[in-house]
Amino acid sequence: MSDLPTLPVTFRPGTTRAVLLTAAVAILVVITAVAMLLKQLSPAERLSFVVTALLLDAVLLLLARPKVVADEDGVTVVNLTSKRRLEWAEILQVTLRSGDPWVFLNLSDGTSLPALGIQPGLAKQRAIADARALRALVEARSVASPERHQS
C-alpha cells in the first residue's frame, strides 16, 4: 500500500500545540514584564509573579504533550500524564466518530484507549487524515502478520 505513511511517524495536533506553546511564551513574557515594571512590588512579590507564570506554562506544556508515535513494532500513545506502548496486534480498531474529542483505540483486552495526539479541535481535516492513516497502518499490520493478531 503506497498510501501508508513511512514509519516511524508521529501524529500530534500541530495547530493546537503551536497555539499552546505560543501562549506559554507570551504568558511568561507578559507576567514577568509586569512584575518587573511594577515598582511597588517587593522582590518576593516579583518572584511570586514569575512562579505563577511558570506554573501556568507547566499546565500549557502538559496540554501540548499528547502524541501518537507509530513505528515498525507498534504504537506509543502519549497523553497528558500517561504514556503507553502497544504492539500492533493489541490494536483492534481506530475510531474517530463525529463529535469525538480525539481518536480512540479499541484494544484486544476489551478496553478503549484515548489517543489525544489525534484530535479534531483546531484542525479537523488533519485529524481525520491522521486517524485514517493510523487506521490503515493498523489494518496493514494485522493483515501482514495475522499470527501476531491472535491472543
Side-chain angles (χ1 to χ4, degrees):
M1 283 187 167
S2 60
D3 293 343
L4 292 176
T6 305
L7 296 177
V9 62
T10 300
F11 302 104
R12 64 175 10 137
T15 305
T16 301
R17 183 174 164 84
V19 168
L20 290 168
L21 295 177
T22 301
V25 171
I27 286 171
L28 183 61
V29 168
V30 169
I31 292 178
T32 301
V34 168
M36 297 307 146
L37 292 173
L38 292 174
K39 302 296 183 200
Q40 70 270 24
L41 295 181
S42 70
E45 290 171 324
R46 288 180 187 190
L47 180 61
S48 71
F49 269 67
V50 174
V51 168
T52 300
L54 291 172
L55 289 172
L56 290 170
D57 278 5
V59 170
L60 293 175
L61 294 175
L62 192 64
L63 292 172
R65 183 175 185 248
K67 66 181 175 180
V68 177
V69 180
D71 60 32
E72 291 294 333
D73 298 321
V75 175
T76 302
V77 178
V78 179
N79 287 332
L80 297 179
T81 59
S82 66
K83 179 178 179 179
R84 183 163 174 194
R85 178 74 184 164
L86 301 165
E87 292 184 20
W88 287 109
E90 291 180 79
I91 306 169
L92 300 179
Q93 187 179 33
V94 177
T95 60
L96 178 62
R97 294 179 299 259
S98 179
D100 280 352
W102 39 70
V103 160
F104 288 90
L105 304 178
N106 295 328
L107 306 179
S108 59
D109 66 2
T111 63
S112 183
L113 177 67
L116 279 62
I118 303 175
Q119 50 182 268
L122 296 176
K124 185 176 182 177
Q125 294 308 313
R126 169 72 187 266
I128 291 169
D130 287 350
R132 286 181 179 151
L134 183 58
R135 183 179 300 126
L137 284 169
V138 167
E139 289 171 359
R141 296 294 179 196
S142 64
V143 170
S145 303
E147 69 280 356
R148 289 188 351 183
H149 197 63
Q150 297 173 353
S151 297

